[in-house]
Amino acid sequence: MSTPGMETMEQNDNEGDNFRLHLVTWNVATADPPVDISSLLHLESPKGPDVYVFGFQEVYSGPLRFMSDVVFDDPWSHCLMTTLAPWNYVKVSSIRMQGLLLLFFSKLEHLPFIRDIQATYTRTGIFGYWGNKGGVSIRLSFYGHMLCFLNCHLSAHMNNATERMIEFEYITDMQIFNCEKAQRILDHRLVFWFGDLNFRIQDHGMHFVRTCISDQNYSLLWSKDQLIMLKKKEKLLQEFEEGPLHFQPTYKFDLNTDLYDSSSKKRKPAWTDRILWRLIPKALSSDKQEECGDRSDANNVGQPEEAKKSILELSQDLYTSDMQYRISDHKPVIGIFTLKLKKMQTTPLVHLLAEGEWSADIDAMLVYFPKQPFPSSSWDWIGLYKVGFSSVFDYITYTWVKDDEVAVDEEAIKVYMSKDEIPVRGGECVLGYYCNTLQCIIGISEPFKVHASKVAIEEGLVPEKLRSLH
């Protein structure tokens, strides 16, 4: 399935690069992840996604579990990190507000071009203080284009459609980012809005709704879907697009079944779980729609203003539910998009490499080369990661850039790393430069081998088949 604009995208491939975005929203009803989540991820597709974004609602947040999740990764984050890391995906950012969880993963190759990351949340629950309802968001610059992802859980029940709209407007007004040129959600060039939005199918009776679902005549229900109805009169909603609802309503099911609610309440099925987007056309955007944290790009210097105009187009390739999961009374919804853009950055801000031979037997030296000016600080650090690391903070060790500098010239800066911090068993590793101001990794080295220490080999800590490699 595609939306209007796909033809234009295919005709103008030479004007930009295509990226695949894979979004999932799921109200998990406090359940832990199933054993197999591969169906949600489409990892076996010919071209894997460049970016994954997951929005969960009603993640279990009992007092003991919630305190544990503050220190350790929650089960959903851990499951996705463990599953995606072998495929070379890294968790770039996440934010949680009680049961609301938002996760952003990227292919490793894009990491140095995802910058100025900020995340925030807004409560709309009981008296505006309880975090059971509201919105969590992550904003970032992707190759110089400002994107924002908003995961919401809005008020429930049939008669609260207007309240849901008020909550959405409140969230978009209240969330403020430390970015002069995109302080609010709607200042971003591209916004994805998704979650358990809780809009229902009104007027139609239960028998008619269930008959339409049984016969797969979903279009007969669209005219009474509250979100579609509100779009006809709410100007803000008219700015958002959504693909056709060519899948059965995702709420409410009996647990561990594919049967709609058979309890005494017999809630009417509804498309409560949705994915929408808002793209500001190039003609309506201004120069303010550039990255706020990093404004220097050597590739743009001296170019005419017209050449700097950014290409940003979006088409939806798939919008569906995944009916095989039964752990919740909701079914997950998947949206897959092709994002076409002209890269505003093509060079990492720093280039990194490991100098000489690395092992736990000797102190090591790394070198980084600033390729462009960037807002460095005394809180910047360089991490040593195993190849296949799962998140930005999944490092083996790190060294403070400013504290451990040992040599500086006009082009290269050398930084010391103690042998005591290097893994004795060795392995394939990479280095990553983390810029605290931009809240992201701005440079990744090529993989290199860290040799096992002599002590590790002598004590049998290295498997026999790997000893010859050292």
Side-chain angles (χ1 to χ4, degrees):
M1 180 181 69
S2 63
T3 56
M6 178 63 84
E7 296 81 2
T8 302
M9 183 173 288
E10 292 172 347
Q11 293 167 3
N12 298 323
D13 276 346
N14 61 331
E15 297 181 12
D17 294 280
N18 289 342
F19 299 88
R20 196 167 178 84
L21 277 58
H22 188 114
L23 276 66
V24 176
T25 179
W26 193 4
N27 183 322
V28 297
T30 73
D32 282 343
V35 174
D36 183 4
I37 60 168
S38 58
S39 178
L40 283 180
L41 305 177
H42 295 202
L43 284 166
E44 303 294 347
S45 59
K47 184 183 185 305
D50 295 279
V51 166
Y52 281 104
V53 184
F54 302 94
F56 297 107
Q57 307 85 41
E58 293 193 26
V59 173
Y60 181 66
S61 55
L64 292 179
R65 169 69 71 80
F66 190 75
M67 292 303 296
S68 172
D69 292 348
V70 171
V71 180
F72 306 102
D73 291 310
D74 66 90
W76 284 96
S77 297
H78 178 76
C79 174
L80 288 164
M81 290 163 62
T82 302
T83 304
L84 290 172
W87 296 82
N88 226 22
Y89 291 96
V90 177
K91 189 186 82 170
V92 178
S93 182
S94 67
I95 183 168
R96 181 170 178 185
M97 182 185 74
Q98 285 185 230
L100 271 171
L101 175 64
L102 179 59
L103 303 165
F104 184 98
F105 288 78
S106 166
K107 278 187 176 177
L108 179 63
E109 66 196 73
H110 304 310
L111 216 56
F113 304 100
I114 301 173
R115 306 174 188 168
D116 194 39
I117 303 164
Q118 298 179 49
T120 189
Y121 62 87
T122 302
R123 297 185 179 96
T124 62
I126 302 169
F127 305 115
Y129 293 103
W130 191 245
N132 63 322
K133 295 291 193 297
V136 292
S137 64
I138 295 173
R139 64 86 55 209
L140 49 85
S141 168
F142 186 73
Y143 287 95
H145 299 265
M146 295 167 63
L147 315 182
C148 187
F149 300 87
L150 172 62
N151 171 28
C152 287
H153 191 186
L154 305 181
S155 291
H157 306 306
M158 179 70 73
N159 59 352
N160 282 335
T162 301
E163 180 66 23
R164 289 188 271 277
M165 187 65 209
I166 292 171
E167 289 176 351
F168 175 54
E169 291 177 337
Y170 176 76
I171 291 167
T172 56
D173 286 341
M174 290 299 294
Q175 294 199 358
I176 306 296
F177 301 102
N178 183 25
C179 177
E180 179 183 347
K181 300 190 176 186
Q183 291 186 338
R184 289 181 165 83
I185 291 171
L186 297 179
D187 292 335
H188 291 77
R189 181 79 184 275
L190 176 59
V191 176
F192 287 95
W193 173 40
F194 49 93
D196 181 0
L197 307 186
N198 253 321
F199 290 104
R200 309 303 174 98
I201 298 171
Q202 66 182 47
D203 298 335
H204 290 315
M206 177 70 79
H207 178 73
F208 180 78
V209 171
R210 292 202 175 193
T211 299
C212 289
I213 294 171
S214 178
D215 295 341
Q216 298 186 7
N217 289 326
Y218 307 130
S219 61
L220 297 180
L221 303 174
W222 295 348
S223 64
K224 297 301 181 180
D225 174 82
Q226 290 178 335
L227 182 54
I228 293 174
M229 295 170 70
L230 280 170
K231 283 191 72 171
K232 295 178 180 178
K233 61 179 183 179
E234 295 287 349
K235 185 176 180 181
L236 176 56
L237 289 182
Q238 291 169 10
E239 298 177 8
F240 282 83
E241 298 181 62
E242 182 182 20
L245 298 169
H246 288 313
F247 53 92
Q248 69 185 80
T250 53
Y251 173 84
K252 171 181 172 57
F253 290 87
D254 292 338
L255 291 180
N256 303 311
T257 76
D258 291 327
L259 302 175
Y260 285 106
D261 187 13
S262 63
S263 71
S264 58
K265 294 184 178 180
K266 284 191 167 51
R267 292 180 182 87
K268 195 191 307 181
W271 286 288
T272 57
D273 311 283
R274 312 286 276 269
I275 300 174
L276 297 91
W277 70 94
R278 172 185 181 266
L279 176 64
I280 301 176
K282 184 171 69 173
L284 299 179
S285 63
S286 66
D287 288 342
K288 75 179 275 186
Q289 303 297 332
E290 304 300 331
E291 182 177 7
C292 54
D294 166 34
R295 302 179 183 88
S296 59
D297 185 352
N299 299 289
N300 281 337
V301 175
Q303 292 186 16
E305 285 300 313
E306 189 61 31
K308 297 180 186 178
K309 294 292 185 182
S310 60
I311 295 171
L312 193 67
E313 300 173 10
L314 187 76
S315 64
Q316 188 172 55
D317 306 314
L318 180 69
Y319 190 32
T320 189
S321 61
D322 195 326
M323 295 296 295
Q324 72 173 277
Y325 295 102
R326 297 167 176 161
I327 61 172
S328 169
D329 55 355
H330 292 249
K331 301 296 184 182
V333 170
I334 299 170
I336 298 178
F337 300 85
T338 298
L339 176 64
K340 178 185 174 185
L341 57 81
K342 181 177 181 180
K343 294 178 180 177
M344 307 302 285
Q345 294 114 14
T346 56
T347 305
L349 294 177
V350 300
H351 176 65
L352 284 147
L353 58 88
E355 186 175 78
E357 185 174 295
W358 278 51
S359 80
D361 295 321
I362 55 173
D363 294 332
M365 200 73 65
L366 60 91
V367 185
Y368 75 90
F369 304 82
K371 308 303 287 186
Q372 301 172 37
F374 65 92
S376 62
S377 78
S378 58
W379 296 103
D380 289 3
W381 48 268
I382 293 174
L384 177 67
Y385 298 86
K386 280 286 184 72
V387 168
F389 65 99
S390 61
S391 79
V392 170
F393 297 102
D394 182 28
Y395 45 73
I396 301 168
T397 186
Y398 65 90
T399 184
W400 295 106
V401 174
K402 300 297 184 184
D403 289 352
D404 296 314
E405 283 182 2
V406 295
V408 181
D409 62 32
E410 292 182 358
E411 295 184 354
I413 301 171
K414 292 188 176 182
V415 180
Y416 158 90
M417 183 172 285
S418 170
K419 63 182 180 181
D420 296 332
E421 304 293 334
I422 298 173
V424 296
R425 298 186 183 186
E428 287 290 319
C429 294
V430 295
L431 296 165
Y433 187 116
Y434 185 87
C435 175
N436 187 68
T437 302
L438 299 178
Q439 293 286 291
C440 61
I441 287 179
I442 59 174
I444 295 277
S445 75
E446 292 294 322
F448 63 96
K449 178 165 287 297
V450 174
H451 297 276
S453 71
K454 295 176 182 177
V455 173
I457 294 174
E458 291 170 357
E459 294 183 356
L461 298 177
V462 180
E464 185 72 34
K465 63 181 179 179
L466 297 180
R467 293 182 188 181
S468 61
L469 300 177
H470 299 281

